[in-house]
Every structure is written in C-alpha cells, then in structure tokens.
Amino acid sequence: MRLSPEEIAAILQCAVRHFGPDTKVRLFGSRIDDWRRGGDIDLLIETSAELSSPLEAELRFLVDLKNRLGDRKIDVLLRRPEERRSFVDDVARERGIVLSQ
Amino acid sequence: MTITALENELRSAHRIAQRLERSLESTRRLIPLDANAIKKLTDEDQKKLDALLLRFVSLASVIQDRIARSVLLFEEENLTNASRKDMRPMLEKLVALREERKFGIIVELRNLIAHTYPEDLDRKAQILNTVHLRGPDLIE
C-alpha cells in the first residue's frame, strides 16, 4: 500500500469528523499496488451514520483532506454498509485494504 | 497582466453568472430532486438541468482557472509553484474571495459533476440539489 502513516492518519481523522465514529475506510485502486507510482487515492467509505446531506459531507471531507494532504486527486465512494451501486463497489470491497492507525 | 485583460475576464464571468442565475431560477420548481423524479423529467426540464450544470461548471472553472490567476498577477503576487488550491487563501487575503473554504467546496462539486456517471441517478439528484444550494455562493 502506498500511503504514509501520516496520510492514513489524515484520511481517518477527516473521515471520522465528517462521516461519524463508526466509519470504515478502504483504500483501493492503484495505491494498493506497491509496484506502481503516483496515482489517485481511491477510497471506499462506509458509514451507517444518518447524514442529512451525504454529498455535502463528502465535499467537506475532500476540502479538509486536501488541506491536509495537498491538492491530490482523491476519489470517494460513499456508501452505507452493504450498499452496492456498481461493480466498482465489489472490487473495492474485495481487493481494498481497510485503513487503520 | 493588464487591467484591460482582467476586465475582459471579469466581464466573461459576469455573463456566465447571469446565465447561471437564469438557470437556477428556471429549475427552482424541480428542486429537491431524487432518482425517481429524475426518471420522470420531461425533455424540456432535462435540458434546463443540463444547462444549469454546464453553467455552474463553466463559472467555477473561469473563476478558478482564469480569474484567480489574473487577479493575483495583477496584484503582483508571486505565483511560482503555487497550485490552484494555494491561490485561494491568497485571494481571500486580498478580499477577492469571501470565503476560501466555500469556494473549495464549489470546486470539489465541479470536479464531481465531471466524474459522475449519467446512469447514477441518486448521485445526479444529490448533485443537482447541491448545485441549487451552492449556486448563489458561486454567483456572489
């Protein structure tokens, strides 16, 4: 996995702040491959919190995270636990790495 | 950067802002939307919503990609190695941007519009509702 401990901490702190304490974050896509370089940060974020506006929460999360990590390309799939909208969700759940500190 | 070039950029943004304002007005009755409501839209309403998204993206891009840079160059700020995100606090200091964070949210919304699959109707509905919420901030 190509994220530093500081980057993981920033992601988890921002996720808890915007999506609640029971949030689970999975990293998927090119960043889980140690042999590649650069690439987007693809995150599957699962929360059971009742968000009044999930999109607003996602936008605020991205702004805060980019303030911490710099102007990176970060893609987020925000889902309820078990929610599936496309095959990408399956890929993210099967191959993604759960981030923890 | 000359004052004339900056004025031209601002005039261009003002024209897009006026169009965006008209789009917000003409689609207000459709908001809030959900996936079911999107399925039932008439072609005419669909066109109005497409125009709304296009105008929102255009105005956010003009401000972020052209005006921000032009204003800072006009003010003789040092932009060496400055990313677009770095420019926002500089603009806030010059009072050219009221709230850097609000504009950051608008830029993220613009990015999401460009990367959303048309068949994801839930997402599309959320985006359109948020464009209505954030559109006035962008025009301001």
Side-chain angles (χ1 to χ4, degrees):
Chain A
M1 172 173 59
R2 289 178 299 111
L3 282 181
S4 68
E6 292 75 22
E7 289 169 327
I8 292 171
I11 291 168
L12 292 174
Q13 284 160 16
C14 290
V16 166
R17 180 171 173 203
H18 292 283
F19 307 117
D22 68 339
T23 301
K24 186 188 273 187
V25 183
R26 279 190 173 86
L27 176 75
F28 68 102
S30 61
R31 289 265 170 178
I32 61 173
D33 184 345
D34 291 337
W35 297 97
R36 293 169 74 173
R37 302 186 101 190
D40 302 352
I41 298 176
D42 297 308
L43 302 172
L44 172 71
I45 298 178
E46 293 173 292
T47 178
S48 52
E50 292 298 332
L51 303 169
S52 58
S53 172
L55 188 69
E56 273 282 326
E58 184 180 328
L59 295 168
R60 289 169 191 275
F61 167 78
L62 287 167
V63 170
D64 277 355
L65 187 55
K66 288 182 185 184
N67 278 339
R68 304 261 311 255
L69 300 184
D71 206 1
R72 313 276 194 87
K73 179 82 172 58
I74 302 167
D75 285 329
V76 170
L77 299 177
L78 179 61
R79 300 287 185 262
R80 313 274 306 164
E82 314 301 324
E83 181 188 2
R84 180 196 183 277
R85 289 198 205 164
S86 78
F87 73 96
V88 183
D89 297 18
D90 300 333
V91 173
R93 286 195 173 101
E94 281 164 22
R95 298 189 198 163
I97 298 171
V98 176
L99 299 183
S100 61
Q101 283 181 300
Chain B
M1 172 57 57
T2 65
I3 185 78
T4 313
L6 182 56
E7 278 174 350
N8 285 338
E9 303 272 26
L10 290 170
R11 258 195 295 276
S12 159
H14 184 64
R15 278 194 296 272
I16 303 170
Q18 286 177 321
R19 288 187 212 122
L20 175 61
E21 210 159 17
R22 287 199 293 273
S23 278
L24 286 167
E25 191 53 46
S26 72
T27 55
R28 187 155 291 130
R29 69 188 163 79
L30 302 170
I31 302 297
L33 282 161
D34 58 24
N36 275 334
I38 287 190
K39 280 184 205 159
K40 292 176 190 162
L41 286 171
T42 63
D43 283 352
E44 193 58 34
D45 284 339
Q46 187 62 66
K47 273 185 205 161
K48 285 180 185 169
L49 290 168
D50 288 345
L52 170 69
L53 290 181
L54 185 66
R55 290 167 179 179
F56 185 90
V57 168
S58 298
L59 186 55
S61 299
V62 165
I63 293 172
Q64 158 104 343
D65 301 337
R66 296 189 359 217
I67 291 180
R69 191 171 185 82
S70 300
V71 167
L72 292 170
L73 287 174
F74 184 74
E75 293 290 339
E76 298 181 347
E77 294 281 343
N78 180 7
L79 299 183
T80 314
N81 299 327
S83 72
R84 290 167 183 167
K85 195 183 139 306
D86 296 336
M87 291 183 201
R88 295 204 296 259
M90 296 161 96
L91 287 164
E92 195 180 49
K93 264 190 214 153
L94 293 170
V95 204
L97 204 57
R98 279 202 193 146
E99 282 183 63
E100 184 255 321
R101 186 178 162 76
K102 261 190 188 175
F103 192 66
I105 289 173
I106 284 168
V107 170
E108 292 304 330
L109 181 56
R110 177 199 69 169
N111 296 344
L112 291 189
I113 292 169
H115 293 104
T116 295
Y117 296 109
E119 62 268 27
D120 190 346
L121 299 185
D122 275 322
R123 181 82 159 173
K124 192 171 178 185
Q126 283 181 33
I127 284 176
L128 284 161
N129 295 336
T130 309
V131 163
H132 256 270
L133 190 72
R134 294 286 174 183
D137 289 343
L138 179 56
I139 291 168
E140 195 180 287

